[in-house]
Amino acid sequence: MKRLNRNIVYLNEVDSTNNYANRLIATDCVKTDTVILTKYQSAGKGQFNNTWQSASDKNLLFSLITQPTFLLPEKQFLISKIISIAIVQYLSDFSNLVSIKWPNDIYIENKKIAGILIETIVRGSTMDYCVIGVGLNLNQKEFDKSLPNPISLTQLINKKIDIESALNKIIANFYTYYNLLKNNLEDKIDSTYFDMLYRKSAWHIYKKDKTTFEAKIIGIGQYGQLILQKRDESVHEYYFKEVEFVI
Ligand code: BTN
C-alpha cells in the first residue's frame, strides 16, 4: 500500500480523532496537514452532540488538521464543501448514486454512508486551524438498530475495501480542491458541490417546525444556507437544522 507523503498518526484506539487533533493543536507543536487515523473511537462525535458509532477496524475514521489562514472565517463552509466533494469523488468509482445531503452528509440513494464533523479555531479574523473529521462506513455489515438509515460500501458492492487506500484517495481529492480555493477558484468548488447535491433542482417535501411543504433546492448561500423555492415561487434561506428533508 502506497503511504501518503504526509504526517499520519496511526492509533489503534482513541476517544475521538477530532479530540486527539484538538489536543495536538493545543500543544503548539502540531504539523499542518497531519492526519489522525484510528481503528476505533470510544467516544466518536457526530454533529450536534450526537455520537458517531463505528465497529472496530471496519471503517475509515480520521481527522485532518489544516491551517486555512488564507480563508476568511465567514467563508469556512467552503471547507465543508471541499471535503464533501472529495468523499463523493472517491465513492463515485463504485456507484453513481452518491450525493451530498446538505450540508455535508454523504448519501448513497436515501442512506447515509459518511458523516463529517468540522471544528475550527478562529483567532481574530483568521482561521487558525480547522479539524476535519470524517467517518466513512466501508466494511461494516451490521449497524445499531437505533441509527436511522446507515449503509456501508461493502453492503453496496459486496467486497472488502482497503481503508488506507480510501484515505489516500480522499486526501488527494481534498487537496486538489483545497488548492483551487487557495488560488481563488471558488466558483469551481461551488458548482461541483451543487452538482453533487442530493435532491437538487427537483420538487421534494421539506419540514420546518412540524409543517411540511414542497420546495426545490435552487442554490446554496455563501454561509452555507440552503436556498429553497416553494411552489408559490417564494424563495427562503435556511441554516443547518432550521429545515429537514422528509425522506
Ligand atoms: C455526523 O454526521 O454527525 C458527523 C460524524 C463525524 C464522525 C467523524 S469519525 C472521525 C471524526 N472523529 C469524531 O469524533 N468524529 C469525526
Side-chain angles (χ1 to χ4, degrees):
M1 163 87 250
K2 196 169 157 276
R3 289 256 145 133
L4 281 175
N5 187 21
R6 64 183 78 245
N7 252 17
I8 302 196
V9 179
Y10 294 89
L11 302 169
N12 277 328
E13 180 177 340
V14 69
D15 53 346
S16 143
T17 54
N18 270 38
N19 288 353
Y20 188 98
N22 283 315
R23 288 194 291 269
L24 214 55
I25 291 167
T27 64
D28 251 354
C29 53
V30 62
K31 280 206 182 118
T32 191
D33 304 318
T34 295
V35 172
I36 319 299
L37 176 67
T38 194
K39 292 181 179 164
Y40 179 71
Q41 296 184 127
S42 54
K45 300 192 296 187
Q47 308 244 5
F48 285 89
N49 288 331
N50 286 323
T51 56
W52 184 258
Q53 299 175 32
S54 175
S56 182
D57 208 9
K58 295 278 183 210
N59 301 318
L60 177 60
L61 301 166
F62 75 94
S63 298
L64 167 67
I65 301 173
T66 54
Q67 289 189 283
T69 47
F70 56 89
L71 191 66
L72 290 170
E74 56 265 33
K75 291 198 161 187
Q76 58 184 274
F77 190 69
L78 280 158
I79 301 287
S80 184
K81 285 184 176 175
I82 292 174
I83 187 66
S84 304
I85 292 170
I87 300 168
V88 170
Q89 282 189 332
Y90 164 70
L91 291 171
S92 298
D93 283 348
F94 303 96
S95 164
N96 53 14
L97 301 169
V98 195
S99 64
I100 303 166
K101 178 169 165 276
W102 175 85
N104 59 13
D105 283 343
I106 310 302
Y107 266 48
I108 302 257
E109 283 195 297
N110 291 323
K111 295 190 168 183
K112 180 164 169 172
I113 190 162
I116 297 166
L117 179 67
I118 298 183
E119 295 177 293
T120 52
I121 299 175
V122 175
R123 200 179 299 174
S125 58
T126 306
M127 291 263 289
D128 233 8
Y129 283 102
C130 190
V131 173
I132 304 165
V134 172
L136 168 60
N137 299 330
L138 292 179
N139 295 310
Q140 190 166 337
K141 289 194 173 145
E142 281 170 21
F143 291 90
D144 196 289
K145 299 268 178 299
S146 64
L147 298 173
N149 54 352
I151 190 170
S152 68
L153 193 48
T154 201
Q155 286 177 322
L156 195 75
I157 62 168
N158 215 9
K159 279 191 191 136
K160 189 171 188 292
I161 317 295
D162 186 299
I163 295 176
E164 248 185 276
S165 152
L167 173 70
N168 286 352
K169 288 179 185 162
I170 290 169
I171 297 286
N173 295 342
F174 175 85
Y175 279 101
T176 302
Y177 283 85
Y178 192 72
N179 287 333
L180 291 182
L181 184 58
K182 273 188 178 164
N183 291 311
N184 289 317
L185 295 168
E186 278 176 43
D187 290 357
K188 172 74 183 152
I189 298 166
D190 292 341
S191 60
T192 308
Y193 174 85
F194 190 78
D195 283 348
M196 290 175 170
L197 274 185
Y198 175 75
R199 292 190 170 176
K200 64 170 185 296
S201 310
W203 295 103
H204 288 283
I205 307 294
Y206 295 85
K207 186 163 149 191
K208 176 162 177 62
D209 304 331
K210 296 189 180 149
T211 305
T212 56
F213 59 91
E214 207 178 3
K216 70 178 170 192
I217 300 174
I218 57 164
I220 299 294
Q222 68 157 322
Y223 305 115
Q225 320 90 292
L226 185 69
I227 307 178
L228 293 181
Q229 183 177 30
K230 292 191 181 174
R231 283 283 189 189
D232 64 7
E233 301 216 330
S234 60
V235 172
H236 305 259
E237 295 192 2
Y238 302 93
Y239 285 92
F240 189 32
K241 290 285 173 193
E242 287 182 350
V243 69
E244 252 177 74
F245 290 71
V246 177
I247 296 175

